[in-house]
Amino acid sequence: MKKFLLTFVTVLGLIVLAACGGTEDAASNGDSGEDGGKSKLEQLQEKGTVKIGFANEPPYAYEQDGELKGAAVDIAAAVFNELGIEEMDSQLADFSQLIPGLQAQQFDVVTAGMAINPDRCENALFGEPEMQYGEGLVVEAGNPLDLQSYKDIADNPKVKVVVMEGATEIEFLKSEGVSEDQITTAPDIPATFSAVQSGRADATTGTEMTVKMALESANTDALEFVETFEQPDIEGVPSYGAAAFNLEDQELVDAYNEKLAELKENGTVTELLEKNGYSAQMNVVPAEVTTEAVCNGEF
């Protein structure tokens, strides 16, 4: 009986040692799951593909003939190419679903000229600013209500304004005194135009380049871009657009920012902006503007 117990204890000890050794070996090999302990950047570089969510909002990001185009897209492609990631798995989403998509890890990055602001900074990590832009207003042809500013909308309670869901313009309007019952939303820019054309709204607003180019593409005489629009003197205008990442992907953001800085320095970012209809004078981000400062409400 004693001999049996001695044998049992010996065998049990060997099993425990083997288990401990196996755990130690796994730890020494950095085995922490399917990704083998690799960072997000290393995983993307190994696959050679990055998943990008974008809103169909020219000229920032849009789909044309099955191809992803736009200034934000071109900049992201250039940066990721520098990081050794040459393919983009592009997915179309409503603007309001871009950050939730990041949080759910449906995307590795979202890029659509999304404006950096303190609220969004709590839910996503932004790369450094890639472009700056102001606001624009589209109304019925002839501008029958003589709308020249957000304050004009606020001063006339009967005016209805439609805005793309999730856009910063909703808060801009409110800060200029426009009441919530004057504001409605639509999923995208064409839908906001449709609302104005049908009489369900009197005006729509969005970033200047977006609504101006979208109106040119719409090729309609029923709507008019307000060339004399007065930019609101509020925090967040001008806006600074950047790529956004999951809160857990700081290393990826740091690597992205490093390559972005190089492309700014050698003029590539300016070239890509101008290629998409922007101007160096109006849309290139001043050197003193940083994501940290914008997130802190300093710009």
Side-chain angles (χ1 to χ4, degrees):
M1 183 66 178
K2 290 181 180 179
K3 187 175 182 180
F4 170 77
L5 288 174
L6 180 60
T7 302
F8 175 76
V9 170
T10 302
V11 172
L12 181 61
L14 289 171
I15 292 173
V16 171
L17 286 172
C20 291
T23 302
E24 187 174 300
D25 290 343
S28 65
N29 289 331
D31 184 9
S32 62
E34 292 183 2
D35 60 11
K38 294 177 182 176
S39 69
K40 183 64 167 290
L41 175 60
E42 290 171 330
Q43 292 175 52
L44 295 179
Q45 289 173 327
E46 187 173 281
K47 291 187 295 184
T49 302
V50 56
K51 285 186 179 180
I52 294 189
F54 68 98
N56 196 8
E57 187 179 354
Y60 306 97
Y62 59 100
E63 189 174 19
Q64 186 177 74
D65 299 326
E67 184 180 354
L68 183 64
K69 296 183 178 181
V73 175
D74 287 347
I75 293 171
V79 174
F80 280 114
N81 188 68
E82 290 293 313
L83 289 170
I85 304 165
E86 299 182 357
E87 297 296 326
M88 296 197 303
D89 178 4
S90 309
Q91 300 180 32
L92 185 67
D94 289 340
F95 188 87
S96 61
Q97 293 303 309
L98 293 180
I99 287 182
L102 273 181
Q103 295 171 323
Q105 298 188 359
Q106 295 172 347
F107 312 125
D108 300 312
V109 57
V110 295
T111 178
M114 180 179 286
I116 307 166
N117 66 41
D119 288 340
R120 286 178 179 160
C121 292
E122 294 181 3
N123 297 296
L125 290 177
F126 281 91
E128 288 301 321
E130 300 172 358
M131 63 189 73
Q132 72 171 23
Y133 46 81
E135 303 303 306
L137 191 70
V138 170
V139 297
E140 181 185 341
N143 198 1
L145 298 178
D146 193 27
L147 301 176
Q148 305 290 337
S149 66
Y150 290 161
K151 287 192 179 296
D152 286 343
I153 297 174
D155 290 341
N156 186 345
K158 293 183 179 180
V159 173
K160 299 289 184 183
V161 57
V162 58
V163 185
M164 185 171 66
E165 294 170 359
T168 53
E169 285 74 23
I170 296 173
E171 294 305 318
F172 291 166
L173 287 162
K174 291 178 182 178
S175 68
E176 289 289 88
V178 179
S179 64
E180 288 192 23
D181 60 7
Q182 290 180 268
I183 303 171
T184 60
T185 61
D188 53 34
I189 297 299
T192 66
F193 286 177
S194 177
V196 178
Q197 284 186 266
S198 66
R200 289 180 284 115
D202 301 296
T204 183
T205 182
T207 57
E208 180 181 6
M209 289 292 291
T210 296
V211 294
K212 192 170 188 177
M213 292 190 68
L215 186 57
E216 291 175 1
S217 298
N219 194 26
T220 176
D221 294 329
L223 302 176
E224 175 182 317
F225 179 82
V226 181
E227 297 286 354
T228 53
F229 177 73
E230 299 171 19
Q231 293 293 324
D233 184 17
I234 56 177
E235 183 178 308
V237 179
S239 297
Y240 301 98
F245 303 77
N246 189 283
L247 289 171
E248 299 179 358
D249 293 338
Q250 185 64 60
E251 182 184 354
L252 178 59
V253 178
D254 292 342
Y256 185 95
N257 283 338
E258 181 180 347
K259 295 302 181 182
L260 176 64
E262 293 175 5
L263 294 177
K264 285 182 176 181
E265 182 68 24
N266 66 25
T268 298
V269 170
T270 298
E271 290 176 8
L272 294 175
L273 287 172
E274 292 178 334
K275 167 192 167 185
N276 286 278
Y278 297 85
S279 73
Q281 181 179 3
M282 298 295 294
N283 303 113
V284 171
V285 181
E288 66 270 17
V289 178
T290 65
T291 292
E292 182 179 6
V294 179
C295 286
N296 289 336
E298 297 174 26
F299 287 96

